[in-house]
């Protein structure tokens, strides 16, 4: 908005100069229209500044201590400007095998793995109940002298016991079956999570590719065409062969095209943020 305001200021100077000149054909309504467009731009800039300040205040509560003064907090936040858009090319897209291995390390998948391992242990414990339970008991007893004063030997004992699960097989079968179903349930859940992440990955990379195409279209064709059209309208007007409203509209169309390109880039960075989550990296995914 600031960059395009300079263009509207130049347009206003052209109209003002033509209006003041004795040979100029600029009308008073042209001068009023140019001033009005500048006022409208200033109004939009004020709204954008207010939106930025509100966003910074909301952001400060997440990255700064609550004890920090709000004004200091807002000033401590710096927003980095983005450079050229990161491109997702076919060579940067992972093949299915590598993608599955990568997504298997996602925290959501690893949580299911832990639950599945726990269920597998429960299943093993239930299966152990089918086996006989062996027990060994050792005992030692001290004996004193008898009534006649003779020594008596101490006693040592050993006992071996075995418990055979003969009459409780139906209950054990139910426990093992339930544990087996629990293991299978977690395996199915893991595959479902992997499928969802894989589908999300494909959708996001496809969206990014399409957004890249739109960005290239704006950069190589649309914006240059809008600029040429605006300049042609201005040249025609300064040559007393054009209408001022057409000049203003051409400049507005150019400004809106710049804003639309910015919005497309914003959507692209949102998709990259989602892709970073899907890939579950501590650092940002860097796709070139």
């Amino acid at each position: 908005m600031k960059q395009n305001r300079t263009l509207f200021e130049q347009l206003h100077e052209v109209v003002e100069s033509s209006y003041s000149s004795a040979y100029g054909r600029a009308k008073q309504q042209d001068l009023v229209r140019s001033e009005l467009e500048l006022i409208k731009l200033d109004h939009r800039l004020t709204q954008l500044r207010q939106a930025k300040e509100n966003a910074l205040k909301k952001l400060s509560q997440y990255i700064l201590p609550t004890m920090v003064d709000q004004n200091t907090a807002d000033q401590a936040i710096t927003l980095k400007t983005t450079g050229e858009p990161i491109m997702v090319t076919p060579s940067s897209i992972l093949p299915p095998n590598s993608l599955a291995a990568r997504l298997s390390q996602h925290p959501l998948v690893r949580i299911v793995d832990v639950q599945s391992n726990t269920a597998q242990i429960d299943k093993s414990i239930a299966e152990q109940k089918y086996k006989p339970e062996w027990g060994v008991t050792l005992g030692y007893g001290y004996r004193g002298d008898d009534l006649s004063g003779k020594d008596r030997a101490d006693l040592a004992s050993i006992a071996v016991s075995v418990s055979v699960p003969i009459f409780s097989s139906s209950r054990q079968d139910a426990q093992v079956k339930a544990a087996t179903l629990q293991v299978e349930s977690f395996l199915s859940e893991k595959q479902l999570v992997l499928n969802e992440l894989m589908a999300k990955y494909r959708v996001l990379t496809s969206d990014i590719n399409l957004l890249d195409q739109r960005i290239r279209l704006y950069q190589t064709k649309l914006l240059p065409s809008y600029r040429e059209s605006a300049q042609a309208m201005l040249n025609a007007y300064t040559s007393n062969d054009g209408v001022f409203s057409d000049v203003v509209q051409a400049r507005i169309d150019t400004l809106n095209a710049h804003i639309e390109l910015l919005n497309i880039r914003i959507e692209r960075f949102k998709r990259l943020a989602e892709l970073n989550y899907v890939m579950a990296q501590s650092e940002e995914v860097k796709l070139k």
Side-chain angles (χ1 to χ4, degrees):
M1 293 294 295
K2 289 180 180 178
Q3 292 171 356
N4 282 272
R5 191 186 189 284
T6 303
L7 299 177
F8 281 87
E9 288 177 348
Q10 295 173 355
L11 180 61
H12 177 70
E13 292 175 358
V14 170
V15 176
E16 191 174 31
S17 175
S18 177
Y19 181 75
S20 302
S21 173
Y23 300 98
R25 294 182 56 187
K27 301 177 182 179
Q28 184 177 8
Q29 56 262 35
D30 296 344
L31 184 62
V32 173
R33 175 70 184 276
S34 65
E35 293 175 346
L36 176 61
E37 293 302 328
L38 284 174
I39 294 173
K40 290 168 64 176
L41 278 177
D42 289 336
H43 177 67
R44 293 178 68 178
L45 281 170
T46 302
Q47 290 178 318
L48 290 173
R49 291 191 188 97
Q50 182 180 4
K52 178 182 177 180
E53 291 176 1
N54 292 337
L56 288 175
K57 285 181 170 58
K58 292 180 181 179
L59 184 62
S60 64
Q61 65 180 319
Y62 297 108
I63 63 177
L64 292 173
T66 56
M67 297 298 293
V68 177
D69 180 69
Q70 187 64 56
N71 293 330
T72 305
D74 293 345
Q75 295 174 0
I77 300 175
T78 57
L79 303 179
K80 294 183 179 180
T81 57
T82 59
E84 290 298 319
I86 303 171
M87 308 302 284
V88 179
T89 62
S91 60
S92 65
I93 298 177
L94 297 175
N97 292 338
S98 300
L99 178 60
R102 182 72 170 273
L103 295 180
S104 295
Q105 301 303 315
H106 194 279
L108 291 178
V109 179
R110 296 179 67 180
I111 289 175
V112 180
D113 281 337
V114 173
Q115 295 173 330
S116 178
N117 293 337
T118 303
Q120 187 65 49
I121 294 174
D122 293 339
K123 177 185 175 183
S124 299
I125 294 174
E127 290 174 342
Q128 291 297 321
K129 294 182 180 180
Y130 279 109
K131 301 178 181 179
E133 295 181 2
W134 292 85
V136 178
T137 304
L138 297 176
Y140 176 81
Y142 171 78
R143 294 199 304 174
D145 297 340
D146 60 10
L147 295 178
S148 60
K150 295 180 179 180
D151 292 335
R152 293 190 300 178
D154 296 337
L155 295 178
S157 63
I158 180 171
V160 178
S161 62
V162 59
S163 174
V164 181
I166 299 176
F167 303 104
S168 58
S169 60
S170 59
R171 180 174 61 86
Q172 292 164 349
D173 289 342
Q175 292 177 346
V176 173
K177 184 177 181 180
T180 302
L181 291 176
Q182 186 72 5
V183 172
E184 294 175 353
S185 173
F186 283 122
L187 292 176
S188 299
E189 183 178 351
K190 176 181 178 179
Q191 190 60 48
L192 178 61
V193 173
L194 280 172
N195 291 342
E196 290 177 349
L197 291 173
M198 195 169 297
K200 189 70 172 177
Y201 172 87
R202 293 194 180 105
V203 169
L204 289 173
T205 52
S206 175
D207 284 351
I208 293 172
N209 274 316
L210 293 174
L211 289 171
D212 285 339
Q213 294 177 19
R214 294 180 62 189
I215 290 173
R216 288 193 293 270
L217 178 63
Y218 268 85
Q219 290 176 332
T220 60
K221 294 183 179 181
L222 291 179
L223 281 178
S225 298
Y226 277 118
R227 294 191 191 101
E228 291 176 3
S229 175
Q231 189 60 44
M233 294 292 181
L234 180 59
N235 292 339
Y237 178 75
T238 54
S239 301
N240 297 327
D241 192 26
V243 182
F244 183 71
S245 60
D246 294 339
V247 179
V248 173
Q249 188 59 48
R251 287 291 173 88
I252 293 175
D253 291 340
T254 304
L255 172 60
N256 290 335
H258 278 285
I259 295 175
E260 180 62 25
L261 174 59
L262 181 60
N263 288 331
I264 295 174
R265 284 178 169 172
I266 291 172
E267 288 301 318
R268 188 184 188 281
F269 282 114
K270 288 181 180 179
R271 300 297 190 280
L272 280 177
E274 294 182 57
L275 188 60
N276 286 331
Y277 167 77
V278 171
M279 302 308 290
Q281 284 188 314
S282 57
E283 297 180 354
E284 291 185 356
V285 178
K286 297 180 180 179
L287 300 177
K288 297 182 180 179

